Amino acid sequence: MGHLRNWLLPAVLAVAQLVAWPGLALARGETVEAVPLAVGPIVTVAAAAVLGARLRFPVAAALTIEALLTAGFVLPDRALIAAAVAGVVALYSVAVRRPARTAVLVASVLVASGTVRALLLYDSPVDVGGEALASVVVYAGTVGAGRSRRRWLAGRRAAQRELARAEAVRVTAATTERHRLARELHDVSAHHLTSVVVTANAARHVGDRNPQLTADALRLAAEAGRETVTALNRLVTLMRTSAADEESPLAERVAALVAGCVRLGQRVDVSIAPGAADLTGPPAEAAFGIAREALTNTLRYAPGATVRLVIRDDAGTLDVLVEDDGTPPPPTDTAQTDTAPTDTAPTDTSPTDTSSTDTSPGGTRPPLTVAPTPVTATAPAPVAARGLGGGRGTAGMRDRAAGLGGTLVAGPRANAPGWSVRARLPRPPTGAGINSVLPRWSWTEATTVLALAALPVVVVLIERPAATVTAVLPAVLHALPLLWRRRAPWTVLLLVLATAWIPAACLALGLLPAEVAWALTVAGVCADCVALYAVAAFAGPPGRTWPAIGPVAVGLASTTVALDAQDGFDTAGADGLGPWFHAFLVIVLTLPLALLAAGVWGSGVFVRRRRERVTRREGSALTAVVWSAVAEAHEERQRIAAELRQAVLHHAHEVVAHAEREDLDGAARQARAGLAAMRELLAVLKGATGPSLGGTTGP
C-alpha cells in the first residue's frame, strides 16, 4: 500500500500534464511543433519517474528534476507545469527527510538555477528579478512546510520510542522489583537469623563447659530477633504504598513516605515548595525515588536522628536535599514492644496523620522558608541497624539523577555532623514564551517569514519595478513577527495587524506611491492569515480563539478602506458623508472577509484537534503501559510483604519469645524456620534455587 501511495502522485501529475499539453492543444487543432511534441512527453515522464524515487533519494530527485527543467528552452511554459510541481514536491521531501541545512542548500541551488534560466530566457531585468523572487517565495514556503512536517514526524517517532521503552519497563517491572527486594531480604537475613543459628549451635556443644556462653547466646538471640523484626518492619513499611500513590502528586507521595519513617522512630522535618508539590512525571518520580532511598539510609545508619527533607523548584530545576544530624538519642527501654508474637507491621495511614508540629531541631543550618510541612516523630528510636545495606543505594540515586541529565552529591555534611544527599533534577518548563524574552525560532518559522516577506516584493516588482527597494522594509516588518507565532500567537497576531497599517500610513505621508501601497496590502493578507492560523492552532481551544476572527476581518477591511480614501476615491466626501460612507464600507467589507478569516481559523482548529487527538491517543497508550508497570510492581510488593508478615516475621517474633523464656533450642529452631521461609521466598524472587543464606542449619 505504501508503494502504491508513493507512485500515485507522480502518475497523476504525468497524466494531468499530458492531457493539458499537448492533449488539449492537439484536440483544439492548435499547431504544435515537432520538437516540443517529442521532448515534452519525455520530460514529463522522466520527471514523474524521478519523483517516484524521492523517498529514498530526495536530494538527487530534486536536483535531477531541476536539470530536466532546462528543457524550457525548447518547450512552452504550459508543457513544464508537471515538472515544476514535481520539483517542489521533491524539495518538500528533502525538507522532511534531511537536515535543515541540506534543505536550505538544495533550495538555494534551485533558486540559483531558476535565476540563471531566467537570465537566458528573458531580456528584461524586471522579469528576471520577478522570476528569482517568485522562486524564493515558492521554495522557502516549501522548505517551511517540510520542516513543520519533519517536526511532527519526529514527535511521533519520539512518542513511539517512549511507548516502546515503557513497554519494556512494564515487561520487566515485576522482575526488577523482585530482584531489588531479594537483595534487601538477603541483607536482613544474612546479618541476623543466621547468627542466631550459629551461636545456638556453638552454645549447645560447649555450653556444659562454659555456661556463660549459653547466656550470651540467649541474649544474642533476643537482640537479633528484635533487630530482624525492626529491619523487616522497615522493609514492609516501604513496600506498603498503593499503586495509585505512584501517580499521585509529589507532596502526597512524600508525605506518605515520611509517615512510614516516623512510625519507625525517625524524626523528619519536610519542606516542599509550592511549585513542586503538585509535580508528577519523570522528575517527580526521580525526586521521590531519591528521597525514599536517602530516608531508608537514615533508618539504617542513623536511626532516631533528626532528618531534614527539602524539595524546591528553582528556575526549572528540582532540588532535593536530605540530611541528618548524625546524632540519634540514647535508646530507651522499648525492646519489649518488638517481642509480641503477632504481626507488628505498621498499617498505612493517610498523609494527614503526620501534620503535627515538629519540635526537634533541624540540624545546624538555618531553616529554609519554602512552604514547610513539618512532621513529628512520636515513635521510639529503633535499634541501630548498621550494615544492613547492600552498598547500592547511592549508585541507584545517582543513576536516577543522571537519567534526567541531573547531578547528585552524597557525603558527610560540611562543618556539621551527619550525612547529606543533594540532587538537582532538570525538568521541562511550564510557561510559554509570551512572558519570556524572545524565544528561539526554528527553520520552519524562518523560511515562512522569508516567503511571506518576499511575496509582497514580487507583487510590487510586477506593478512598479522602480519602487521595489522601498517596498522591502514594510514587507519585512509585516512578516517578521511570524518568527514567534508558535510561542506567542496572540502577541504575533496583534503585531501583524498593527504593521498592516504601514502601507496606508506611508501613502498618507507620501513615502510610497498608491500602486505600491496597494500591492503591499493585498499581498500582506497572507501574513495576516498565517497569524490567525497560528492563533487557532497553538493559542488554545477553539472556545478561546474564535474571537480572533473579528479583529482580522475588521483590520483587513479598515486598511482597505483607508487605502481607498488616501487614493482619492471619495465619492461621498463632497456631501459631507465621507466618514460615514467609509464606516459603511468597512462594515460591508467585514462580512465577506469574516468568512475568509473563519475558513483560515477553521483550518487551524482542524489541525489542532487532529494533533491533540493523535497525542491524546499516544498519551493514553503510554499511560496505560506505565500504569500496568506500576500495578505489577505494586502487586509484587504486596505479595512479598504478605509472605514476610505470615512467615518470616512470625518466626522472628518467636525467636525473641523463646530467647526470653531461656529456650535456646526453641529460638534456634524458629531461626532455622525463618531462614527456610526466607530461602523459599528468595528462590521465588530470583527465579532459581538461589544461594545459601549462610550459617549452619543442622540440629
Side-chain angles (χ1 to χ4, degrees):
M1 183 62 70
H3 187 72
L4 178 62
R5 287 198 303 267
N6 176 54
W7 285 97
L8 181 61
L9 178 60
V12 170
L13 284 177
V15 171
Q17 178 63 76
L18 294 176
V19 170
W21 192 96
L24 288 179
L26 295 175
R28 293 171 181 172
E30 298 178 5
T31 301
V32 180
E33 297 180 0
V35 173
L37 185 60
V39 174
I42 295 176
V43 171
T44 298
V45 174
V50 172
L51 186 63
R54 69 191 184 279
L55 299 183
R56 295 185 60 187
F57 311 104
V59 175
L63 297 179
T64 303
I65 293 173
E66 179 64 23
L68 291 173
L69 288 174
T70 56
F73 293 108
V74 297
L75 293 176
D77 290 342
R78 55 180 177 167
L80 295 172
I81 295 176
V85 174
V88 173
V89 175
L91 178 60
Y92 177 84
S93 297
V94 172
V96 172
R97 297 177 175 273
R98 294 295 182 266
R101 289 179 176 81
T102 302
V104 172
L105 180 61
V106 172
S108 301
V109 171
L110 298 185
V111 170
S113 175
T115 303
V116 172
R117 246 191 349 265
L119 286 171
L120 297 176
L121 289 174
Y122 307 122
D123 297 329
S124 170
V126 174
D127 294 337
V128 174
E131 185 75 16
L133 283 177
S135 299
V136 169
V137 171
V138 172
Y139 293 142
T142 301
V143 171
R147 296 303 301 175
S148 180
R149 178 64 177 174
R150 179 183 174 90
R151 179 186 298 177
W152 170 261
L153 294 177
R156 305 289 65 73
R157 287 192 294 269
Q160 292 173 359
R161 288 193 298 269
E162 184 67 17
L163 183 60
R165 187 193 64 80
E167 179 64 25
V169 171
R170 185 199 65 79
V171 171
T172 61
T175 302
T176 301
E177 192 69 12
R178 285 196 298 268
H179 290 171
R180 184 182 71 83
L181 294 175
R183 291 193 298 267
E184 296 283 349
L185 288 173
H186 189 275
D187 288 341
V188 171
S189 62
H191 288 281
H192 298 290
L193 293 180
T194 303
S195 65
V196 175
V197 176
V198 172
T199 307
N201 286 338
R204 182 182 299 109
H205 288 91
V206 298
D208 294 339
R209 298 189 301 273
N210 187 1
Q212 182 60 36
L213 182 59
T214 301
D216 291 341
L218 289 170
R219 178 180 54 79
L220 177 62
E223 292 178 355
R226 295 188 189 101
E227 290 178 0
T228 302
V229 170
T230 301
L232 291 178
N233 275 336
R234 289 193 189 109
L235 185 58
V236 170
T237 298
L238 294 177
M239 288 191 294
R240 289 173 63 87
T241 58
S242 67
D245 287 343
E246 309 222 3
E247 292 296 312
S248 301
L250 180 59
E252 294 183 12
R253 300 180 64 187
V254 169
L257 174 66
V258 170
C261 293
V262 166
R263 290 194 298 270
L264 293 173
Q266 204 74 338
R267 297 179 293 174
V268 185
D269 180 22
V270 182
S271 181
I272 303 179
D278 297 329
L279 191 64
T280 58
E285 180 64 31
F288 177 77
I290 290 171
R292 177 176 59 190
E293 185 64 35
L295 287 175
T296 302
N297 287 340
T298 64
L299 284 170
R300 288 171 174 164
Y301 304 116
T306 299
V307 183
R308 185 167 61 136
L309 169 59
V310 179
I311 301 178
R312 291 180 292 189
D313 183 18
D314 182 16
T317 300
L318 206 61
D319 292 337
V320 181
L321 169 65
V322 181
E323 61 180 7
D324 62 81
D325 59 13
T327 55
T332 57
D333 187 13
T334 58
Q336 296 301 322
T337 59
D338 289 332
T339 61
T342 57
D343 182 13
T344 60
T347 57
D348 291 335
T349 60
S350 64
T352 57
D353 293 334
T354 62
S355 59
S356 57
T357 304
D358 187 10
T359 59
S360 61
T364 59
R365 300 186 180 184
L368 299 180
T369 59
V370 284
T373 307
V375 180
T376 299
T378 58
V383 179
R386 307 278 178 177
L388 295 183
R392 309 175 186 89
T394 302
M397 289 188 289
R398 285 201 176 96
D399 290 342
R400 286 182 180 272
L404 293 178
T407 59
L408 184 136
V409 178
R413 296 173 61 188
N415 303 322
W419 193 265
S420 173
V421 175
R422 295 175 179 270
R424 290 182 61 83
L425 308 173
R427 69 182 186 87
T430 56
I434 294 179
N435 298 322
S436 62
V437 296
L438 289 178
R440 293 182 58 190
W441 41 267
S442 66
W443 284 103
T444 302
E445 282 80 12
T447 52
T448 302
V449 168
L450 179 62
L452 293 175
L455 179 60
V457 179
V458 172
V459 177
V460 171
L461 183 63
I462 296 173
E463 294 291 332
R464 187 130 178 208
T468 302
V469 176
T470 60
V472 172
L473 182 59
V476 171
L477 291 177
H478 189 45
L480 189 62
L482 295 172
L483 282 173
W484 300 280
R485 67 186 185 275
R486 294 176 181 269
R487 296 158 181 80
W490 280 109
T491 303
V492 168
L493 178 63
L494 294 177
L495 290 175
V496 169
L497 292 179
T499 54
W501 284 88
I502 292 178
C506 291
L507 178 61
L509 296 174
L511 301 177
L512 287 177
E515 296 88 344
V516 175
W518 274 107
L520 289 174
T521 299
V522 173
V525 172
C526 294
D528 298 353
C529 292
V530 171
L532 177 60
Y533 174 91
V535 169
F538 306 113
R544 298 180 182 178
T545 59
W546 69 264
I549 297 174
V552 172
V554 173
L556 293 176
S558 300
T559 53
T560 302
V561 172
L563 282 175
D564 176 73
Q566 294 295 329
D567 199 18
F569 183 73
D570 192 358
T571 58
D575 299 331
L577 298 177
W580 296 103
F581 181 71
H582 294 146
F584 174 74
L585 286 179
V586 170
I587 295 174
V588 172
L589 287 175
T590 297
L591 296 178
L593 290 174
L595 295 178
L596 172 64
V600 174
W601 174 83
S603 63
V605 170
F606 172 79
V607 171
R608 178 185 179 88
R609 286 180 172 172
R610 177 177 175 271
R611 182 174 65 244
E612 290 177 344
R613 184 169 60 253
V614 172
T615 54
R616 186 166 53 248
R617 182 173 65 249
E618 293 171 346
S620 298
L622 181 61
T623 300
V625 172
V626 171
W627 178 253
S628 178
V630 169
E632 290 180 13
H634 164 69
E635 292 175 0
E636 198 65 27
R637 287 197 302 270
Q638 294 297 88
R639 183 181 68 82
I640 296 169
E643 293 188 14
L644 281 174
R645 290 193 300 271
Q646 293 174 2
V648 183
L649 269 172
H650 172 74
H651 292 300
H653 283 299
E654 289 297 317
V655 168
V656 176
H658 283 281
E660 291 177 343
R661 292 197 297 266
E662 299 184 356
D663 182 6
L664 185 58
D665 290 338
R669 185 171 56 254
Q670 292 297 327
R672 284 194 296 271
L675 283 171
M678 192 172 291
R679 184 182 292 109
E680 293 177 1
L681 183 55
L682 284 173
V684 174
L685 293 179
K686 295 180 179 179
T689 304
S692 173
L693 295 179
T696 303
T697 59

